[in-house]
Amino acid sequence: MDGGLSRRRRRWGLWGWCWRLAALVLLWLAGVSAYIIGIGARDQAAPADVIIVLGAAAYDARPSPVFEERLRHGIDLYEQGLATRLLFTGGFGGAGARFSESQVGRRYALKEGVPERAILIETVSRTTRQNLQQAALLMQAHDLHRAIIVSDPLHMARAMRLAREEGIDALASATPTSRFRTFSTRWRFFLQELYFFHRDLFLEAV
């Protein structure tokens, strides 16, 4: 009798610890989710030296719908007089690409009336971290100190963290017209950002 009771207690004790661990994991994920959503909902746009538009896919010389909305928002901030420079990031999407993402961004901005002297680009980056590494180098070369970062709302938390790691004095301004509008596209993008958040935490730890 005593042996059976002891085994049941151990079994329930194990389940109790499992439930506690699951609750902690759920609380952690809820906190990270709130952080990602909260950063994306803030618009910190204020006078700065440069507006950095993070790259996204381009189809030959044409920006993807996601990239176009980022470009529109960056140009709108420029036209509001919040900065005198636009910096487009993003390299070549594939071996056969004629234009880099940033070159597509420059062409788009020129068509919208932005003077060429106001535009900076880099053409080598392939990831968000590389986008911001190259942006930081261009800022140093042109004596620019404060930047407004433009991307999609759910991407903004990671972009801001990476910008800080690169020493950029950054303000967040997510595009209010993100193409990630449907539940399925927003959910996939959110899960991607949740994964990258924890992947980067793990990489920093090791």
Side-chain angles (χ1 to χ4, degrees):
M1 288 286 291
D2 290 343
L5 181 60
S6 178
R7 283 195 297 273
R8 284 196 297 273
R9 284 176 176 172
R10 284 198 299 270
R11 188 164 57 247
W12 282 110
L14 178 62
W15 276 110
W17 281 109
C18 288
W19 280 112
R20 290 186 184 97
L21 179 60
L24 286 174
V25 170
L26 288 174
L27 283 173
W28 169 262
L29 291 175
V32 172
S33 300
Y35 171 75
I36 291 172
I37 293 169
I39 294 295
R42 290 189 314 186
D43 188 354
Q44 299 175 313
D49 299 310
V50 64
I51 298 159
I52 299 173
V53 180
L54 297 183
Y59 309 136
D60 193 43
R62 184 168 51 88
S64 64
V66 170
F67 194 22
E68 185 172 13
E69 296 309 314
R70 296 182 188 183
L71 293 171
R72 285 181 178 178
H73 187 52
I75 293 168
D76 181 58
L77 295 174
Y78 169 81
E79 292 177 342
Q80 290 178 39
L82 292 177
T84 58
R85 293 287 187 92
L86 276 163
L87 195 165
F88 299 119
T89 67
F92 292 84
R98 290 195 305 155
F99 303 98
S100 68
E101 294 168 3
S102 58
Q103 288 172 329
V104 172
R106 177 172 62 186
R107 287 165 58 94
Y108 188 95
L110 290 172
K111 288 180 181 178
E112 292 296 313
V114 178
E116 189 168 4
R117 66 178 181 277
I119 300 172
L120 297 172
I121 68 168
E122 59 80 24
T123 61
V124 300
S125 67
R126 299 293 297 274
T127 66
T128 302
R129 183 181 292 277
Q130 292 172 2
N131 286 169
L132 291 161
Q133 287 172 342
Q134 295 300 315
L137 291 174
L138 279 172
M139 288 179 66
Q140 292 170 14
H142 292 271
D143 196 31
L144 305 172
H145 303 286
R146 171 172 271 200
I148 301 171
I149 308 293
V150 172
S151 190
D152 287 87
L154 293 175
H155 187 221
M156 193 58 69
R158 182 159 60 101
M160 290 296 289
R161 181 175 55 77
L162 293 174
R164 287 193 296 270
E165 289 179 8
E166 296 304 322
I168 299 174
D169 179 10
L171 302 169
S173 185
T175 173
T177 53
S178 173
R179 298 296 294 183
F180 295 101
R181 295 174 183 171
T182 67
F183 176 81
S184 62
T185 57
R186 286 177 63 85
W187 183 244
R188 285 197 301 269
F189 193 20
F190 171 74
L191 289 178
Q192 171 186 299
E193 290 304 310
L194 198 62
Y195 162 75
F196 281 124
F197 180 93
H198 291 91
R199 184 205 64 176
D200 291 347
L201 278 183
F202 174 77
L203 291 177
E204 288 174 8
V206 297

